[in-house]
Amino acid sequence: MVNQNMLALGQTRSCIRELFEYGLRQKAAGETVYDFSLGNPSIPAPPEVNETFVSILRDVDSLAVHSYTPAPGFPDARQTVAEELNRRYGADLRGENFFFTCGAAPALVSVIRALATEGAEIMAIAPFFPEYRPFVEANGAAFVLVPADRETFQIDCAALEERITARTQAVIVNSPNNPSGVIYTRATLEKLAEVLTRKSAEHGHPIYVISDEPYRELVYGGAEVPFLPDIYPNTVICYSYSKSLSMPGERIGYVCVPDRVEDSQAVYAAAAGAARILGHVCAPSLQQRVVAACAASRPDLEAYDRNRVTLYDALTSYGYRCVKPDGAFYLFVQAPGGDAQAFSDQAKARNLLIVPGGDFGCPDYFRASTCVSHEMLLRSLPIFEDLMKPYL
Ligand code: PLP
């Protein structure tokens, strides 16, 4: 006998992975495939990232490089990351507020587990990153979904307020958003803060924001990503270098619990405890050193921006409807005919792989990743145009 919940999770195939693997099989069979399924960075890490890997391996004592680190990470690396955020946002973070993890996913699981008290409800805003659901439910909390405003994909704060109960422990906020690419505006976040502050007081306990920020640096046209702890003090950050430094396979990110978070020390310690039972020993020591040395590095986003504009302009000119994304590397598009699964199946029959939005909480939308080759994107456009024709 095995744990039935884990069995079900392990046997459920992610529709994104399935599409991606289908594409690989088609390619192996000699087919031309237009794959917009995965959110895998397609621009290289900034050169200094690779140079830092090399120089650390060359210049630092091998035993030290490959050793265990303290569970939260090297103190000096945490301090450097804190100072970089202080410099950018005028924050007052200390190294002790940070806990390095193997990316945003384990950061999220640790914080969710830390906040999943008996009977807790944890909210997310649809569209949402599909892993939130198992992260919340497998940790014993109820997953409560609130639809975003359908015109703008900003948070619908009135709908969110209606769903808050005495059991609400946290709201997961992801901006820039996967899959919509939308950045929640300062006005939206101020309204959210106002609602959460009022509801926390009404229910007599803090409602935390878990700010999932892997796309914080992937922003176009000078758009602003407001720093959420400035707007709502009870914000815990889950960050990742997967997308911002194009190194998803290196598995490095962090939890940050600022001092101004209510019961910050308990939240931090509980997240550390949760990480422990997830088998966290420490984040990779080499990667901790690299991200500290490259704390201010950013990749050149020109290629993502060009894809974003080209695909958005082309699809909207064919009659598709889509909010223009200011961040991340996705387009979230209304499925012609209203059934994204059916539309994605039609596209798949032409080797165009787009992800139906059911798992993101919007079954009438599909996601197209723009972290793809520009040349492939250009070649796919006639297929997008053809697929739209019966719906015009
Ligand atoms: N959160 C969101 C919104 C994501 O899109 C992803 C990855 O695609 C993650 C978290 C997990 O990122 P990581 O690779 O750092 O675990």
Side-chain angles (χ1 to χ4, degrees):
M1 252 326 237
V2 294
N3 179 306
Q4 295 301 298
N5 292 337
M6 295 304 117
L7 179 64
L9 268 179
Q11 288 181 334
T12 311
R13 305 279 291 128
S14 134
C15 120
I16 302 176
R17 281 270 146 198
E18 255 180 22
L19 270 175
F20 174 68
E21 283 164 20
Y22 172 82
L24 291 183
R25 287 196 299 277
Q26 289 292 92
K27 277 183 202 158
E31 295 275 334
T32 304
V33 176
Y34 309 93
D35 185 357
F36 292 84
S37 63
L38 278 193
N40 203 6
S42 60
I43 57 178
E48 64 272 23
V49 168
N50 288 356
E51 284 155 19
T52 308
F53 270 106
V54 171
S55 68
I56 293 172
L57 286 173
R58 191 188 50 221
D59 302 334
V60 182
D61 169 58
S62 170
L63 270 179
V65 172
H66 300 305
S67 70
Y68 290 122
T69 81
F74 288 119
D76 55 341
R78 292 153 65 204
Q79 186 60 30
T80 305
V81 171
E83 282 167 15
E84 170 60 14
L85 287 184
N86 293 346
R87 188 187 64 73
R88 282 174 70 189
Y89 298 113
D92 53 0
L93 299 165
R94 302 175 296 121
E96 289 79 1
N97 301 126
F98 289 78
F99 191 102
F100 277 118
T101 58
C102 298
L108 285 162
V109 177
S110 304
V111 173
I112 289 168
R113 177 113 194 169
L115 298 177
T117 50
E118 179 85 36
E121 293 172 0
I122 296 187
M123 299 174 92
I125 298 141
F128 64 98
F129 178 54
E131 293 299 281
Y132 294 160
R133 186 188 291 279
F135 289 175
V136 169
E137 290 178 347
N139 283 304
F143 185 64
V144 177
L145 205 52
V146 190
D149 178 287
R150 298 288 290 201
E151 284 302 305
T152 59
F153 283 131
Q154 294 286 316
I155 303 172
D156 180 344
C157 291
L160 183 126
E161 177 164 7
E162 273 176 23
R163 285 173 174 72
I164 292 177
T165 73
R167 293 168 176 265
T168 307
Q169 271 281 88
V171 181
I172 305 172
V173 173
N174 169 223
S175 172
N177 183 264
N178 175 8
S180 71
V182 162
I183 298 174
Y184 298 144
T185 62
R186 184 169 286 276
T188 296
L189 297 174
E190 282 171 356
K191 177 78 185 138
L192 173 73
E194 186 268 312
V195 167
L196 295 183
T197 305
R198 191 155 35 77
K199 285 290 176 181
S200 298
E202 185 183 317
H203 294 303
H205 65 82
I207 301 174
Y208 295 99
V209 162
I210 302 172
S211 184
D212 179 25
E213 305 186 357
Y215 302 97
R216 185 168 67 208
E217 336 299 353
L218 272 58
V219 174
Y220 313 102
E224 181 204 15
V225 181
F227 188 60
L228 242 163
D230 272 353
I231 299 173
Y232 186 63
N234 278 327
T235 298
V236 177
I237 299 172
C238 295
Y239 186 77
S240 166
Y241 295 90
S242 295
K243 322 282 175 170
S244 64
L245 292 183
S246 285
M247 45 192 272
E250 301 297 352
R251 312 307 306 144
I252 181 84
Y254 59 73
V255 171
C256 169
V257 186
D259 290 330
R260 61 175 73 174
V261 166
E262 207 170 318
D263 297 326
S264 63
Q265 291 189 1
V267 172
Y268 183 96
R276 183 173 167 193
I277 62 149
L278 286 167
H280 170 93
V281 175
C282 60
S285 79
L286 176 59
Q287 276 77 316
Q288 291 183 41
R289 291 175 198 267
V290 170
V291 297
C294 301
S297 291
R298 303 282 175 271
D300 176 1
L301 299 180
E302 201 268 328
Y304 292 156
D305 198 12
R306 188 160 67 132
N307 284 350
R308 171 186 77 110
V309 172
T310 307
L311 193 61
Y312 174 81
D313 287 351
L315 295 197
T316 49
S317 78
Y318 304 150
Y320 290 88
R321 294 197 58 208
C322 167
V323 176
K324 189 168 189 177
D326 290 322
F329 41 42
Y330 308 103
L331 241 62
F332 204 47
V333 186
Q334 235 177 54
D339 178 348
Q341 183 62 57
F343 188 75
S344 157
D345 289 343
Q346 289 166 33
K348 189 173 162 191
R350 309 227 5 217
N351 278 339
L352 175 68
L353 308 183
I354 49 178
V355 184
D359 288 353
F360 300 111
C362 297
D364 49 342
Y365 277 74
F366 67 84
R367 188 189 79 175
S369 294
T370 49
C371 45
V372 296
S373 108
H374 191 65
E375 191 258 326
M376 186 279 283
L377 185 153
L378 292 177
R379 282 190 289 111
S380 74
L381 295 181
I383 305 177
F384 275 110
E385 188 173 15
D386 258 15
L387 287 167
M388 186 66 192
K389 280 185 183 147
Y391 300 97
L392 291 173

